[in-house]
Amino acid sequence: MIGKAICSISRGHKANDTGAGCRVFKEMLQKYPTLKGVCADAGYRTPMEAFVRNILNKTIVISEHISQGWAIIPKC
């Protein structure tokens, strides 16, 4: 079965807390252990990119820019 989990951390964390993405994805993996990766915007690149790839051994795709409104993003 193919599935996905969507989680937003835009509320409830400090603007300078880039580690929030690491914590949330790690929690999501505990709840959904079959997740293969995560997509995040460029604001979470550091330290999340290294954490997801090197520590969790999962895929991460970073969106280089934030657009106004909705956009279709490629599959992870």
Side-chain angles (χ1 to χ4, degrees), residues 9-22:
I9 57 173
S10 61
R11 297 176 190 255
H13 75 282
K14 298 174 188 173
N16 61 355
D17 186 7
T18 59
C22 299

Side-chain angles (χ1 to χ4, degrees), residues 35-49:
L35 287 176
K36 299 197 182 294
V38 64
C39 298
D41 69 45
Y44 293 97
R45 179 180 298 268
T46 307
M48 190 171 178
E49 191 169 26

Side-chain angles (χ1 to χ4, degrees), residues 24-75:
V24 169
F25 188 57
K26 188 174 179 181
E27 288 175 21
M28 294 297 291
L29 279 172
Q30 291 172 351
K31 189 170 184 176
Y32 305 101
T34 58
L35 287 176
K36 299 197 182 294
V38 64
C39 298
D41 69 45
Y44 293 97
R45 179 180 298 268
T46 307
M48 190 171 178
E49 191 169 26
F51 176 76
V52 170
R53 284 196 178 127
N54 301 330
I55 305 297
L56 300 178
N57 196 29
K58 300 290 181 179
T59 300
I60 183 167
V61 175
I62 301 291
S63 172
E64 294 299 324
H65 63 282
I66 300 171
S67 62
Q68 298 292 339
W70 293 93
I72 297 173
I73 58 174
K75 288 183 178 182

